[in-house]
Amino acid sequence: MNKHTSIPFPEHKDSPLSFCDLLSQSGCFETEQDVIDNIDSLYGYLSEWMDAQGFEQAQLIMDLMLERKADAVRQDGITPSAVHELTQAVWFISCVEDGLFVHDVEGVLSVILSHDLGEDYGETPDSLDAYLTAGGITDRDAIERFKTSFDTITKQYRDKETGIKGPLKHAHNRDYNAALVQDREASVAKMFDRPHNIMTLIGAKEHDKMISYMDHIIDDQDEYVRAANTNFPQQAAIYDTLQSLTESEAVITQVEIDLADYSIPADATLFDRVRADMPKKGFKNLPEGLHPHHVIENRIRHHYPDIFPENDRGGQHLA
């Protein structure tokens, strides 16, 4: 990953268009493959948006994440791993621009962009402190808040020298969730991570593992959102929005897996009906390659063509 876009994008700091409008109008992100091919351009849009907001900490964290993940891919063996964080960042910005309140926008964005760095790359709160300080960040309160949230969202740390993961910090997932909902920024960031994981299950995991992961998330989500809403009531709208997104993704994925298991043709109106259940706030005007329901639909059409006899959009997902 370099810091120059592979596709030119407009000088748009003073544009009246929203961030997602600009992404859509670029024509660079209409399919998942487009997102992969144009990841440098996506970085450019995000970097320029952060620069316009004065988010130097988040910019540094994004650069470190891209450096660490330069050669890494997702479980499908194809998608660059950094697409995971960059897509979540786009989703989060769409929510912020649509008026969904969080106390610290840059704080949440920094946690979204860093949430795998401890478990996968051995970064620690202290190493990130040193990195941010060396990068010129002088707001000690912001750094300390970020370190706390980063530590909260990190389940376990990998040893940088040996590559071996250390022990889990929580014996049970319920304990992990209980810690997350006590943290103002990590509680939001984790709710972007989970729906993105669900979105990319198709083609990456076997059926039983997909179902197990979704059940595990949905079973705990009501309690998680109730606790988060109680602890940080001003952020209730974004918690509720992300709960709605996660549940709608799980529904569409579950239904299509069931249809595939029994070779039943899909209801042609299913995707339209589920799209109508998208949250009323956030996720507006996203390009199809970054839109959670469009990505799930195209992955299903690609991996389960037998339940879509017409398969009129089956070539949009990467092979």
Side-chain angles (χ1 to χ4, degrees), residues 208-220:
D208 58 339
K209 292 182 179 179
M210 285 192 280
I211 299 303
S212 175
Y213 180 82
M214 289 188 296
D215 287 347
H216 160 76
I217 296 302
I218 299 303
D219 288 348
D220 294 340

Side-chain angles (χ1 to χ4, degrees), residues 21 27 36 72-73 84 91 97 102 131 154 167 189-190 203 210 261 271 287:
D21 285 332
I36 292 170
V73 294
H84 180 57
W91 290 357
E97 289 193 330
V102 297
Y131 169 75
T154 303
K190 193 63 184 179
M210 285 192 280
D261 282 343
F271 292 118

Side-chain angles (χ1 to χ4, degrees), residues 2-303:
N2 58 55
K3 295 186 179 180
H4 302 284
T5 56
S6 56
I7 292 179
F9 56 89
E11 294 294 334
H12 56 257
K13 289 182 180 179
D14 299 321
S15 171
L17 296 175
S18 73
F19 178 74
C20 292
D21 285 332
L22 289 166
L23 294 184
S24 293
Q25 291 195 8
S26 75
C28 297
F29 312 109
E30 293 309 302
T31 69
E32 273 197 277
Q33 189 62 56
D34 286 345
V35 174
I36 292 170
D37 291 343
N38 300 322
I39 189 172
D40 281 357
S41 187
L42 183 58
Y43 166 87
Y45 277 102
L46 285 164
S47 182
E48 188 169 328
W49 186 87
M50 291 181 204
D51 181 60
Q53 311 303 315
F55 287 172
E56 295 178 5
Q57 174 182 286
Q59 176 74 66
L60 284 169
I61 293 295
M62 180 168 68
D63 288 347
L64 178 64
M65 179 274 294
L66 291 169
E67 179 184 325
R68 294 289 183 268
K69 292 194 163 193
D71 300 316
V73 294
R74 298 279 284 167
Q75 290 184 26
D76 60 12
I78 301 171
T79 307
S81 185
V83 169
H84 180 57
E85 286 84 358
L86 297 184
T87 300
Q88 291 174 58
V90 170
W91 290 357
F92 175 58
I93 292 170
S94 80
C95 290
V96 170
E97 289 193 330
D98 208 20
L100 291 173
F101 175 83
V102 297
H103 288 275
D104 183 353
V105 174
E106 184 175 21
V108 174
L109 190 57
S110 296
V111 180
I112 286 173
L113 292 167
S114 66
H115 72 271
D116 281 340
L117 291 180
E119 186 170 345
D120 292 342
Y121 299 96
E123 298 296 342
T124 66
D126 286 345
S127 73
L128 292 176
D129 186 331
Y131 169 75
L132 291 172
T133 301
I137 304 302
T138 58
D139 187 337
R140 290 306 311 170
D141 288 341
I143 291 176
E144 291 301 326
R145 286 196 304 272
F146 166 66
K147 287 166 60 180
T148 298
S149 297
F150 172 76
D151 185 57
T152 300
I153 206 168
T154 303
K155 287 185 174 182
Q156 61 189 138
Y157 287 97
R158 185 184 296 271
D159 186 285
K160 269 189 179 180
E161 299 299 323
T162 66
I164 298 172
K165 286 186 179 181
L168 288 168
K169 290 159 55 182
H170 304 283
H172 303 287
N173 200 63
R174 178 162 290 188
D175 297 331
Y176 177 54
N177 285 338
L180 285 168
V181 297
Q182 297 297 321
D183 188 287
R184 194 179 68 183
E185 279 70 65
S187 58
V188 176
K190 193 63 184 179
M191 291 197 73
F192 282 93
D193 181 39
R194 286 168 170 162
H196 190 267
N197 285 338
I198 291 176
M199 185 187 82
T200 54
L201 286 173
I202 300 292
K205 287 185 179 290
E206 298 173 353
H207 286 191
D208 58 339
K209 292 182 179 179
M210 285 192 280
I211 299 303
S212 175
Y213 180 82
M214 289 188 296
D215 287 347
H216 160 76
I217 296 302
I218 299 303
D219 288 348
D220 294 340
Q221 191 165 237
D222 282 345
E223 181 179 349
Y224 183 104
V225 171
R226 280 196 302 270
N229 284 346
T230 298
N231 293 335
F232 309 108
Q234 289 181 287
Q235 297 185 159
I238 198 165
Y239 294 129
D240 293 340
T241 292
L242 295 169
Q243 179 177 20
S244 173
L245 172 66
T246 304
E247 290 176 350
S248 68
E249 285 188 346
V251 165
I252 195 169
T253 303
Q254 174 72 67
V255 168
E256 296 305 331
I257 288 171
D258 289 345
L259 292 175
D261 282 343
Y262 295 99
S263 299
I264 301 172
D267 178 352
T269 66
L270 173 67
F271 292 118
D272 292 335
R273 286 186 282 113
V274 177
R275 278 199 208 101
D277 289 335
M278 278 292 290
K280 300 301 183 285
K281 287 275 191 177
F283 304 93
K284 301 288 178 60
N285 304 324
L286 287 170
E288 289 198 7
L290 293 164
H291 190 290
H293 286 175
H294 284 295
V295 172
I296 290 174
E297 174 183 351
N298 287 328
R299 280 183 169 241
I300 289 169
R301 288 181 181 274
H302 176 81
H303 289 283

